[in-house]
Amino acid sequence: MSIIKTVKELEAWSKNADRKTSTLGLIPTMGYLHEGHCSLIRAAKSENDLVVVSVFVNPTQFAPGEDFESYPRSIERDYKLAIEAGADVVFNPETEEVYVPGSSTFVEVTGEITRKLCGASRPTHFRGVTTVVNILFNIVQPDKAYFGQKDAQQAMIIKKMVRDLHMPVEVVVCPIVREADGLAMSSRNVYLSQEERKQALCLSGGLKKAWEYLNSGAEDSRSVKKLIEIIRNEIEGQSLAVIDYVMILDGETLEEIADIEPGKNALAAVAVKFGKTRLIDNRVLSVEAR
Amino acid sequence: MSIIKTVKELEAWSKNADRKTSTLGLIPTMGYLHEGHCSLIRAAKSENDLVVVSVFVNPTQFAPGEDFESYPRSIERDYKLAIEAGADVVFNPETEEVYVPGSSTFVEVTGEITRKLCGASRPTHFRGVTTVVNILFNIVQPDKAYFGQKDAQQAMIIKKMVRDLHMPVEVVVCPIVREADGLAMSSRNVYLSQEERKQALCLSGGLKKAWEYLNSGAEDSRSVKKLIEIIRNEIEGQSLAVIDYVMILDGETLEEIADIEPGKNALAAVAVKFGKTRLIDNRVLSVEAR
């Protein structure tokens, strides 16, 4: 396995690897890999000849005052985990390699899909994400790129960018990987105190309760208002939890809906702060069309 | 030669053409080809195995009230001229082929480079240009793409987009092609009345006079203020000409400058309206470093 730090080296590796007869899977991450990332790397390995993991911590998706400086980094551990999961290359570039001096070009998906959920509380976040993913796609030129359902809105936005711009990449979205007790894996989980870690179960717990109620057969079981109430109650029961949002939206467009329509996917999504740590989780809600 | 109307057909052609062992040059145009476009096609033919000419008239680079509907179109003539100049494929897609339903992703180069000159009077124009060129690059996947120096600002912006986003394309900029009397070739020249056509020589004429004065050895020959005055005088001498802008800017960044610095390129650029017809022209101004 190689550790590659520059675009030039990556291009040289790409030439040597004879990309013309081999397929390549890319996993864009911000490093500090956990089992969620590793599941993406394994999926990529099973579907491609070559696997590249990017661990670039992208400054443009953090707003001033967010945790860019303190974002957890652990390059040696990342290399080890990426190897074990099947990566051929870990791409760990400096900021100036990705954003050339004087860089001022942005790729932006507009509309409800970027304004809702995390887009509301982090207005420039997704522009940073789509720009860096676009750049990484151009540098690495993968056949397939792998993203986690944990960041459901991000995955939807990237799929839309790829479709709208006709990018020659297939976007693969893999299921959320959870701790044994249900907490969705996240690089930011290390920020949590012991008590916060306990209380953080209210995210997955609330989502699970909503899913159970949806399938309970109760008269108002498809009511978005009712389901949101169930999730909020679960989270508000925790003393350290501060809700950023609890929303249930159309699973394709992120437009607001009043009821879970049979045969259509809805996305129940939550963001909750524990002190300075902001956690997100989500669950696709659906009932079969009769 | 093929006429291709869909992305699917273009991909099929691309597969058949064995892109893995051949190079491809793309000339993105809005059709109504003239000798300027043909010079780009010939340049592409001399440097690539395959040549694709796009004649898509891109709605997103026109503002409401501009000439999108009336923009001159002549597909049969375009096919003939493209063949003669060496094209293998003319790509003539419907709007829905390029912009998929619900499309809302934009590629935008920010900063002085898009705010100045045509960016000032056409604030959404370049966002439309960079978005469509990005899409065409993704669909056609050229090795090289050819643009005319006639649209000097556009060429600079596309070069910057390609560099900032690390797009795997080489941008080639070819010289302005002029009518025998000096008028820069443009699809919009057909809009001009006989009298307007005569008076339109003030664009190239004014730029030429500025260039002559710069090389005259006069004490203020490098003064941007003086050189602009020379160009304005020439244009204002024509009864039907209405100046949109006359500017001389840094040739790399489009930032304002006071003098032509020896050894550095400046761009003298003009936009002039004759009735509803807006013409542009430009000339690179430079004096040797001593």
Side-chain angles (χ1 to χ4, degrees):
Chain A
M1 194 192 69
S2 318
I3 296 156
I4 291 185
K5 296 201 70 167
T6 68
V7 174
K8 220 172 169 177
E9 281 175 82
L10 193 77
E11 284 167 355
W13 170 81
S14 193
K15 253 188 195 159
N16 265 336
D18 196 7
R19 286 295 317 282
K20 285 174 183 175
T21 57
S22 52
T23 59
L24 190 152
L26 170 67
I27 302 97
T29 79
M30 296 211 300
Y32 212 73
L33 303 183
H34 52 64
E35 182 51 29
H37 301 113
C38 293
S39 74
L40 301 178
I41 299 173
R42 284 193 295 270
K45 188 66 184 172
S46 73
E47 298 179 346
N48 299 273
D49 301 318
L50 301 166
V51 174
V52 175
V53 178
S54 166
V55 296
F56 176 61
V57 183
N58 174 36
T60 68
Q61 69 192 70
F62 294 84
E66 287 186 358
D67 58 345
F68 172 62
E69 273 83 19
S70 64
Y71 195 84
R73 291 161 170 90
S74 175
I75 294 302
E76 288 72 24
R77 205 172 135 274
D78 286 348
Y79 292 148
K80 191 169 166 295
L81 287 171
I83 287 181
E84 285 174 6
D88 296 286
V89 164
V90 173
F91 186 47
N92 180 30
E94 298 291 329
T95 300
E96 296 68 31
E97 279 290 313
V98 175
Y99 296 104
V100 299
S103 178
S104 68
T105 302
F106 294 97
V107 179
E108 186 160 16
V109 177
T110 65
E112 286 304 280
I113 196 170
T114 45
R115 273 197 295 267
K116 283 280 166 57
L117 303 177
C118 293
S121 42
R122 306 180 77 190
T124 60
H125 171 67
F126 287 118
R127 187 177 83 154
V129 170
T130 42
T131 300
V132 80
V133 168
N134 194 294
I135 290 173
L136 289 170
F137 283 2
N138 286 332
I139 292 174
V140 180
Q141 297 182 44
D143 299 282
K144 296 186 179 187
Y146 296 78
F147 295 88
Q149 173 66 13
K150 161 79 182 335
D151 300 301
Q153 188 178 14
Q154 170 178 281
M156 290 170 67
I157 290 167
I158 286 166
K159 274 192 164 181
K160 184 159 164 50
M161 171 185 76
V162 164
R163 198 186 61 218
D164 287 358
L165 296 181
H166 297 259
M167 299 192 82
V169 182
E170 185 186 331
V171 175
V172 181
V173 182
C174 298
I176 298 177
V177 177
R178 297 180 180 282
E179 304 287 353
D181 61 4
L183 182 69
M185 293 209 184
S186 165
S187 303
R188 289 188 172 102
N189 289 348
V190 295
Y191 295 147
L192 298 170
S193 72
Q194 212 176 342
E195 181 54 30
E196 288 170 339
R197 171 67 184 78
K198 254 188 236 165
Q199 295 196 12
L201 285 179
C202 65
L203 283 82
S204 55
L207 291 165
K208 185 155 178 268
K209 283 200 172 157
W211 181 81
E212 286 166 354
Y213 194 79
L214 175 65
N215 288 279
S216 70
E219 206 183 331
D220 61 351
S221 68
R222 297 196 288 103
S223 156
V224 161
K225 197 173 158 220
K226 175 67 183 173
L227 295 167
I228 286 178
E229 189 187 302
I230 289 168
I231 302 171
R232 291 195 79 101
N233 280 346
E234 184 76 8
I235 299 170
E236 283 163 357
Q238 305 302 316
S239 58
L240 303 173
V242 178
I243 291 176
D244 179 357
Y245 62 73
V246 173
M247 294 190 96
I248 299 178
L249 301 167
D250 181 276
E252 298 289 318
T253 61
L254 296 191
E255 277 163 4
E256 298 196 19
I257 51 174
D259 295 286
I260 311 290
E261 264 186 68
K264 286 190 74 174
N265 283 343
L267 182 75
V270 300
V272 178
K273 279 195 153 186
F274 290 90
K276 286 185 170 180
T277 309
R278 186 173 172 280
L279 301 180
I280 59 173
D281 199 350
N282 68 82
R283 188 154 188 159
V284 174
L285 298 182
S286 64
V287 284
E288 276 179 29
R290 297 195 203 166
Chain B
M1 194 191 71
S2 318
I3 295 156
I4 291 185
K5 296 201 70 165
T6 69
V7 173
K8 220 173 170 175
E9 281 174 81
L10 194 78
E11 284 167 356
W13 170 81
S14 192
K15 254 187 194 159
N16 266 335
D18 196 6
R19 286 296 316 283
K20 285 174 180 174
T21 57
S22 51
T23 59
L24 190 152
L26 171 67
I27 302 97
T29 79
M30 296 213 299
Y32 212 71
L33 303 183
H34 52 63
E35 182 51 29
H37 301 113
C38 293
S39 74
L40 301 178
I41 300 173
R42 284 193 294 272
K45 188 67 184 173
S46 74
E47 298 180 345
N48 300 273
D49 300 318
L50 301 166
V51 174
V52 174
V53 178
S54 165
V55 296
F56 176 60
V57 182
N58 174 36
T60 68
Q61 69 192 70
F62 293 84
E66 286 186 357
D67 57 345
F68 172 62
E69 275 82 18
S70 63
Y71 195 83
R73 291 159 170 91
S74 176
I75 295 301
E76 289 73 24
R77 204 172 135 273
D78 285 350
Y79 292 147
K80 191 169 166 294
L81 286 170
I83 287 181
E84 285 174 5
D88 296 286
V89 163
V90 173
F91 186 47
N92 181 30
E94 299 291 330
T95 299
E96 296 69 31
E97 280 290 313
V98 175
Y99 296 104
V100 300
S103 176
S104 68
T105 302
F106 294 97
V107 179
E108 186 161 16
V109 177
T110 65
E112 286 303 281
I113 196 170
T114 47
R115 273 199 295 268
K116 283 280 166 57
L117 303 177
C118 292
S121 43
R122 306 181 76 190
T124 60
H125 172 67
F126 287 118
R127 188 177 82 154
V129 170
T130 43
T131 300
V132 81
V133 168
N134 194 294
I135 291 173
L136 289 171
F137 283 3
N138 285 331
I139 293 174
V140 180
Q141 297 182 45
D143 298 282
K144 296 186 179 187
Y146 296 77
F147 295 87
Q149 173 67 12
K150 161 80 182 336
D151 300 301
Q153 189 179 13
Q154 169 179 281
M156 290 170 67
I157 290 167
I158 286 166
K159 274 192 163 181
K160 183 159 163 53
M161 170 185 76
V162 164
R163 198 185 62 218
D164 287 359
L165 297 181
H166 297 259
M167 298 192 83
V169 181
E170 184 187 332
V171 174
V172 181
V173 182
C174 299
I176 299 177
V177 177
R178 298 180 179 282
E179 304 286 354
D181 61 5
L183 182 70
M185 293 210 183
S186 165
S187 303
R188 290 189 172 101
N189 288 348
V190 296
Y191 294 147
L192 299 170
S193 71
Q194 212 176 343
E195 181 54 28
E196 287 170 339
R197 171 68 183 79
K198 252 188 239 168
Q199 295 196 11
L201 285 179
C202 64
L203 283 82
S204 56
L207 291 165
K208 186 155 177 268
K209 283 200 172 159
W211 181 80
E212 286 166 355
Y213 194 80
L214 175 64
N215 288 279
S216 69
E219 205 183 332
D220 60 351
S221 68
R222 298 196 287 105
S223 156
V224 160
K225 196 173 159 221
K226 175 67 185 173
L227 295 167
I228 286 178
E229 188 187 304
I230 288 169
I231 301 170
R232 292 194 78 102
N233 280 346
E234 183 76 9
I235 298 170
E236 284 163 356
Q238 304 303 317
S239 58
L240 303 173
V242 177
I243 291 176
D244 178 0
Y245 62 73
V246 173
M247 293 190 95
I248 299 177
L249 300 167
D250 181 276
E252 298 289 318
T253 61
L254 297 190
E255 277 163 2
E256 299 197 18
I257 51 174
D259 294 285
I260 311 290
E261 263 186 67
K264 286 190 75 175
N265 282 343
L267 183 74
V270 300
V272 178
K273 279 194 155 188
F274 289 90
K276 286 185 169 178
T277 309
R278 187 172 171 281
L279 301 180
I280 59 173
D281 200 350
N282 69 80
R283 188 154 188 159
V284 175
L285 299 182
S286 65
V287 284
E288 276 179 27
R290 298 198 201 165

